[in-house]
Amino acid sequence: MSQFKRLFVMLGPQMRHTPALQRAAALAESNGALLDINVFVDDVDTFGLMSDSRERERLLSDNRQWLADEAEQLANAGLDVSTELLLTRDPLGSVLERVERLGCDLLIKDVQHEPVLKRLLVTPLDWQLLKDSPVAVHLVSDIRLPLPRQIAAAVDLNSHGAGEHLDEQVIHCAHALALQCNAELHLLHVCDAAKTHIADFGAGTVTMPGFDGNLRTAQRAAFNRLGDHHQIPLERRHFLEGPAIKAIAQFVGHSRADVIVMGSHRHDALQTFLGGTTAHVLEHPLCNVLAIKAVR
């Protein structure tokens, strides 16, 4: 049984039966979770598109009607559904306030692929959600089936402290989701020796003779201990090497993985290994990420 009991779906005014909504409806149906469907209309009139009050009201009216029709169809299918339409100048603040107020435990949204130049100037909303959301965030780019059939838990293998604890949370969440969806559970780790710093020697990223090999051996041993502990078959363990973002993107492209479950620290999600990697992995067009918040 999944730990997710109330699902918050965030949609834009032109979105209808998107991958995120399909995934959310399938998850709610599989375990009886409450489903909150929310359409956010950005009221910032950057290009004068909302200056015509009649056009604005038409847009809002169309979305109210669609939400009512969608709620009726889903309710007829046996789902417990609520809907809300919001005109706001602060989509991030509005969604976070509603998630907390409603007591939702999973935020589901379609991935919004932003041009590189725009990402340099403005932090993408998806990245902000990964950093600031108080609950798990499922960002959906593409789905083969409404329910995932292969779920990969991506672990950091931090040998102690918060990283180790977060790895356990990631595996626990991936395992619960796999049971709910009758999906395969896989374990994934990327060994990137180039990112390892020898801080004690003040050497920065200087590599000592044999260091790469020792690091690889130690991490592989830790990875297999983790796999053994959680009884994950050898053929479902994936120990990758190289830059994390590239390695995970290649794994997604060549595997049948439907969801990559990763960790994210609430306050430093874009600085930690898993936080920064999670944000950038989203750029892969086929990657669906479930980011788990660190809980002490």
Side-chain angles (χ1 to χ4, degrees):
M1 180 67 69
S2 171
Q3 67 269 50
F4 300 127
K5 302 301 182 184
R6 186 158 190 166
L7 315 180
F8 187 99
V9 185
M10 182 179 185
L11 300 174
Q14 306 301 330
M15 296 176 169
R16 291 296 183 257
H17 298 287
T18 69
L21 182 55
Q22 294 178 56
R23 173 58 51 80
L27 289 175
E29 184 178 14
S30 70
N31 77 332
L34 302 177
L35 184 61
D36 290 290
I37 304 174
N38 299 260
V39 173
F40 288 80
V41 179
D42 194 340
D43 195 31
V44 177
D45 193 20
T46 307
F47 300 105
L49 300 177
M50 299 287 280
S51 57
D52 188 332
S53 60
R54 291 173 299 179
E55 181 65 21
R56 176 187 303 196
E57 192 51 46
R58 183 197 63 78
L59 177 67
L60 296 176
S61 177
D62 287 350
N63 278 277
R64 289 191 192 97
Q65 186 61 54
W66 176 78
L67 278 172
D69 293 343
E70 189 67 18
E72 181 179 7
Q73 291 182 32
L74 292 171
N76 289 339
L79 299 185
D80 190 347
V81 185
S82 67
T83 65
E84 186 169 3
L85 172 66
L86 185 70
L87 184 66
T88 178
R89 291 176 176 266
D90 179 17
L92 177 65
S94 296
V95 68
L96 296 182
E97 184 274 329
R98 277 157 180 75
V99 164
E100 293 201 271
R101 174 169 55 82
L102 294 172
C104 299
D105 46 23
L106 179 63
L107 193 163
I108 305 176
K109 180 184 176 297
D110 292 279
V111 172
Q112 184 175 352
H113 294 288
E114 302 283 9
V116 174
L117 181 58
K118 184 175 181 179
R119 293 204 307 269
L120 293 174
L121 299 174
V122 181
T123 302
L125 176 60
D126 292 354
W127 292 20
Q128 292 177 309
L129 289 172
L130 288 176
K131 181 176 182 294
D132 295 329
S133 172
V135 301
V137 178
H138 187 18
L139 293 170
V140 185
S141 180
D142 177 75
I143 56 173
R144 301 175 178 89
L145 295 168
L147 284 179
R149 288 292 175 255
Q150 187 180 109
I151 298 166
V155 294
D156 189 6
L157 295 183
N158 191 320
S159 60
H160 62 279
E164 181 182 38
H165 187 50
L166 185 54
D167 280 349
E168 289 294 332
Q169 292 174 43
V170 165
I171 296 173
H172 172 77
C173 176
H175 183 244
L177 185 61
L179 287 176
Q180 177 187 342
C181 302
N182 192 27
E184 293 181 356
L185 175 63
H186 290 242
L187 190 64
L188 171 68
H189 172 67
V190 181
C191 176
D192 185 1
K195 291 293 185 181
T196 303
H197 295 257
I198 313 174
D200 289 345
F201 299 137
T205 56
V206 174
T207 302
M208 299 177 64
F211 182 76
D212 285 4
N214 292 338
L215 173 67
R216 189 179 300 108
T217 300
Q219 289 202 355
R220 185 178 287 277
F223 179 71
N224 283 324
R225 284 195 299 271
L226 197 59
D228 291 343
H229 177 71
H230 290 279
Q231 300 181 327
I232 299 174
L234 290 174
E235 65 272 16
R236 296 183 185 177
R237 302 179 194 178
H238 309 277
F239 187 87
L240 312 179
E241 298 184 33
I245 297 168
K246 181 178 180 181
I248 293 177
Q250 289 177 342
F251 173 77
V252 170
H254 293 93
S255 73
R256 296 184 296 109
D258 296 297
V259 178
I260 306 293
V261 183
M262 307 179 76
S264 175
H265 292 281
R266 180 168 183 177
H267 296 295
D268 57 356
L270 300 184
Q271 283 75 46
T272 62
F273 164 75
L274 285 175
T277 302
T278 303
H280 287 284
V281 163
L282 290 174
E283 299 310 311
H284 192 286
L286 300 179
C287 190
N288 305 315
V289 166
L290 175 54
I292 302 302
K293 314 307 292 186
V295 178
R296 298 302 181 101

